[in-house]
Amino acid sequence: MSGNFQADGSITAAGKGEVCVVSATKNAQFRKLKNVPANTICFDCPNVRPTWASVTYGVFLCLDCSASHRQMGVHITFVRSLDLDEWTQRQIDAMRIGGNDNAKKFFRKHGCTDLKTKTDKKYTSKAAVAYRAELAKLVEAEAVKRGEGAAAAAG
């Protein structure tokens, strides 16, 4: 088949070859995550009921802040719509393991106390680089538990 649609009817994620979760499963997982109090407010501003996310940082964003993230580029932050886009389980894991509260705690612990600072400065800080790496490591560990990670493939 062509594009992201496979012969078995599954959908793969944007060129990565990973299979996206079924929409009903994705929506059920996001319903739970969106009800976590810290996730009901945009990570970058005070807007409520965010409908976008930075998978890279596992944070929930409003539409306006998602545009700022898109301007930074996917090498800094990869943005997805919670409702419109397809998601892989790893991407959903990043949101579950991350979340606005965990990101806020990590950034503050690593010296980034003004979380409403200019977005591009915040996401290129040492704290951001460290959080991105830590979150990626935790997401990979979850994948290994499911038998999907690099360690599972090697062993």
Side-chain angles (χ1 to χ4, degrees), residues 18-36:
E18 293 182 52
V19 176
C20 294
V21 298
V22 178
S23 290
T25 303
K26 174 197 81 164
N27 293 338
Q29 291 182 69
F30 276 128
R31 252 190 311 280
K32 290 179 186 174
L33 293 173
K34 289 193 287 187
N35 283 325
V36 173

Side-chain angles (χ1 to χ4, degrees), residues 12 17 26 40 43 64 69 79 82 93 100 108 115 124 150:
T12 59
K26 174 197 81 164
T40 64
F43 186 73
D64 291 340
H69 279 251
V79 180
L82 301 177
D93 288 347
N100 289 6
R108 286 192 173 142
L115 294 176
T124 56

